[in-house]
Amino acid sequence: MKKNRTARSRVPGALALWAAALALAAAAPARAEQPKLKVGLMLPYTGTYAALGNAITNGFKLAVAERGGRLGGREIEYFSVDDESDPAKATENASKLIKRDQVDVLVGTVHSGVALAMAKVARETNTLLIVANAGAGDLTGPLCAPNLFRTSFTNWQPGYAMGKVAAEQKKKTAVTFTWKYAAGEESVNGFKEAFEAGGGKVVKQLYVPFPQVEFQSYLTEIAALKPDLVYVFFAGGGAVKFVKDYAGAGLKASIPLYGAGFLTDGTLEAQGDAAQGVITTLHYADGLDNPKDKAFRAGYQNAYKAEADVYAMQGYDSAQLLAAGLDGVKGDTSKRAQLFAAMEKARIDSPRGPMTLSKAHNPVNDIYLRRVEGKQNKVIGIAAKALADPARGCKL
Ligand code: PHB
């Protein structure tokens, strides 16, 4: 009895030890937990592009949340900076994220001038950069690099597609108008390239400094020139103002307004009647008939109580592309070549429709022809099928 009691009294002690060991084993994962993956979001959260920066952020976070907060098995930790769409502050802002916060990947931005500076810092530090909007051709042209990817477009893509459409419509003359910086210039030049190759003539190219929105004198000039159409690049707050001013000046009925789709994406609520009938080209549209877009739109609406737009979609796809890369290396970002290879060959099931990347790491996708009807950019055709940017100057 005594022996038994002793044995019994020893058993609980041994059991407790055993249970504690088990609990410890359960708490520690089979493999050592990898550190969190630090994502640096460098985007505009103030100024004319603020809504665009917020939509990209929301889209990115939605795709991560759908994967349980992890990509490639690693928990995601965010660092963010408001770049104010100011190229003069861009190098310092990118350096802060890379050197101070030690981010593993940089995601941004909207403004081409800011993105060009980010790309230089990313190249110097060999940081993975995913461009979620800015369309500067150089990023996937002369500045293309193994560690630089884009999930959006080049400014040339929608511009070129629209020039082709306008020429096919037998329009003869056009005036272009935009902000004087890389994005605007490349967009209108893309339009001019295709429009003139198809027999049209750009009779005047008008520019206003970024981000000014005093359009009146330019509208007076357009009215006097009487072209068959006007092609513009404006986005965000500037796009809202331009579309209203164009209608307000009484030009809408006499000179059709065409633009890169940013003119009417994420802006229709604020533009109201002034936007009705505006024709644009973009790699996204409202009411696309694909299940991925339907799920994305519903998820976005549910999470943010807002309509998704092209920027939200690009943010979402930036996280999808990063996920494809990280899955390929099981979260091990030190396997650089494998990580980049997995991203290069990713076939993204995008809300826009299927998306692949060119050799220069720029999206190859259809460019939709859209017309504003009510609160929607309705698809009225495909302006260009699987359009790839020519990537002039890229040596990848
Ligand atoms: C750009 O600067 O490249 C840019 C900005 C806003 C857009 C599109 C392109 O909506």
Side-chain angles (χ1 to χ4, degrees), residues 49 52 110-113 133-136 153 155 181 183 233-236 262 311:
Y49 288 159
L52 290 59
V110 170
H111 186 285
S112 274
N133 182 73
F153 53 87
N155 293 308
Y181 84 102
F233 167 91
F234 290 107
F262 316 109
Y311 310 104

Side-chain angles (χ1 to χ4, degrees), residues 99-186:
K99 295 186 181 133
R100 183 193 65 192
D101 301 330
Q102 308 257 303
V103 299
D104 297 293
V105 50
L106 203 53
V107 176
T109 187
V110 170
H111 186 285
S112 274
V114 176
L116 288 165
M118 285 174 84
K120 290 197 180 106
V121 179
R123 281 170 69 106
E124 278 157 22
T125 55
N126 192 20
T127 306
L128 172 58
L129 169 62
I130 302 179
V131 177
N133 182 73
D138 279 6
L139 295 169
T140 49
L143 291 177
C144 74
N147 58 317
L148 200 167
F149 291 80
R150 172 154 51 197
T151 55
S152 50
F153 53 87
T154 61
N155 293 308
W156 177 91
Q157 282 173 303
Y160 182 87
M162 186 54 102
K164 191 168 142 299
V165 168
E168 282 162 10
Q169 291 175 341
K170 304 278 178 246
K171 304 275 187 204
K172 290 284 165 251
T173 58
V175 168
T176 63
F177 183 35
T178 188
W179 278 312
K180 180 106 190 122
Y181 84 102
E185 289 169 330
E186 292 172 4

Side-chain angles (χ1 to χ4, degrees), residues 252 256-258 264 268 272-280 370-374 376-377 380:
K252 236 184 91 186
L257 178 58
Y258 287 25
T264 56
L268 291 178
D273 279 352
Q276 298 309 302
V278 173
I279 305 281
T280 62
R370 311 139 18 119
R371 183 171 54 224
V372 177
E373 283 174 26
Q376 291 213 319
N377 285 289
I380 56 169

